[in-house]
Amino acid sequence: MNRLKTSLGLVLLLLLSCTAGVRAQSDEDDGNDTQRASAEAAKQLTSRDALVRQQGAEELARLIATDQRRLLEGYRLQEKNARVKLALDWALYRTGKAQALFTIVQALDSSRAAQALSYLSQLETPDPLYIFLEQMNGNMQVKLLEVLGRIGDSGTLDRLKPLTESFDPKIAEAARLASTEIEQRLGQTPADTTTRPRQVGGGEQQSTP
């Protein structure tokens, strides 16, 4: 009986050892795959084709390739193409350069607005964007509100509420749309967004929440 228990114990230890070995090998393989993918993406930054360079930067951002950050900084300094610059800024932000987010937000008021919108919509949390909400001009605020509608959470709703009462109809509408989108995503009942006329100036009517 004792021999049987000993044998079973040895078998169990052997199985545990094999499982740990397989897991460690799997983790190592995943790490190697990521490093290879990172190296391949970094090579794309040397291409003469701007689209290829942009794709390389976006892949490094997706991989959060912190080991390539210095390389990204170097290529960002010498890059001439505006779309590639923005992709490099996104990769730099994802690899830890927080100040690069400002450039991406600024691009919301440019011909690269759709590109910036797509990057900002990938943020895991809306928190880094709140600081910009009161500092941007009307057009950028509207674009930022669109981003917050996509990624905002319950805390975002409180920040949007004052903007739904803005005297700028575009900002008020964008804030209401963003709030509704967030509420629908969170499974909440959207707040009443009906409008009523308000007297403005010399008798002109403006719709407000």
Side-chain angles (χ1 to χ4, degrees), residues 21-206:
V22 169
R23 188 181 298 116
Q25 183 63 48
S26 177
D27 291 343
E28 183 179 348
D29 289 343
D30 288 344
N32 290 337
D33 288 344
T34 300
Q35 287 181 348
R36 281 193 293 270
S38 173
E40 287 299 317
K43 286 180 184 178
Q44 291 181 273
L45 301 179
T46 67
S47 174
R48 287 187 173 188
D49 188 332
L51 180 59
V52 174
R53 297 198 302 276
Q54 179 182 332
Q55 290 171 341
E58 289 171 344
E59 178 64 7
L60 289 171
R62 187 188 69 81
L63 294 169
I64 313 180
T66 54
D67 58 318
Q68 303 289 354
R69 180 171 162 181
R70 285 198 175 188
L71 185 72
L72 286 165
E73 289 174 333
Y75 278 109
R76 176 61 177 81
L77 287 173
Q78 68 183 39
E79 182 58 55
K80 305 298 182 187
N81 183 280
R83 291 184 63 84
V84 180
K85 281 183 180 180
L86 190 59
L88 288 165
D89 283 326
W90 173 239
L92 284 168
Y93 176 73
R94 296 291 286 175
T95 56
K97 190 173 183 179
Q99 57 268 41
L101 187 64
F102 180 73
T103 307
I104 301 167
V105 172
Q106 275 191 318
L108 290 172
D109 194 22
S110 74
S111 60
R112 299 172 302 286
Q115 184 184 359
L117 189 66
S118 105
Y119 294 156
L120 295 173
S121 297
Q122 296 176 47
L123 292 172
E124 290 84 0
T125 170
D127 294 355
L129 298 178
Y130 294 147
I131 191 172
F132 302 104
L133 199 53
E134 300 297 333
Q135 300 175 6
M136 302 291 124
N137 65 35
N139 186 50
M140 291 178 72
Q141 265 194 328
V142 169
K143 294 290 186 181
L144 199 56
L145 287 167
E146 185 177 345
V147 176
L148 290 172
R150 295 182 182 186
I151 67 172
D153 53 28
S154 57
T156 311
L157 294 173
D158 292 332
R159 293 178 179 269
L160 295 185
K161 190 172 182 179
L163 294 176
T164 64
E165 301 171 354
S166 171
F167 282 97
D168 185 328
K170 290 183 179 179
I171 292 175
E173 179 65 13
R176 285 194 292 269
L177 288 173
S179 296
T180 299
E181 188 174 350
I182 293 169
E183 288 165 343
Q184 289 176 343
R185 193 172 61 252
L186 296 177
Q188 299 178 7
T189 302
D192 181 15
T193 57
T194 56
T195 60
R196 62 182 182 276
R198 174 190 289 178
Q199 295 293 327
V200 180
E204 181 183 358
Q205 287 189 336
Q206 176 175 322

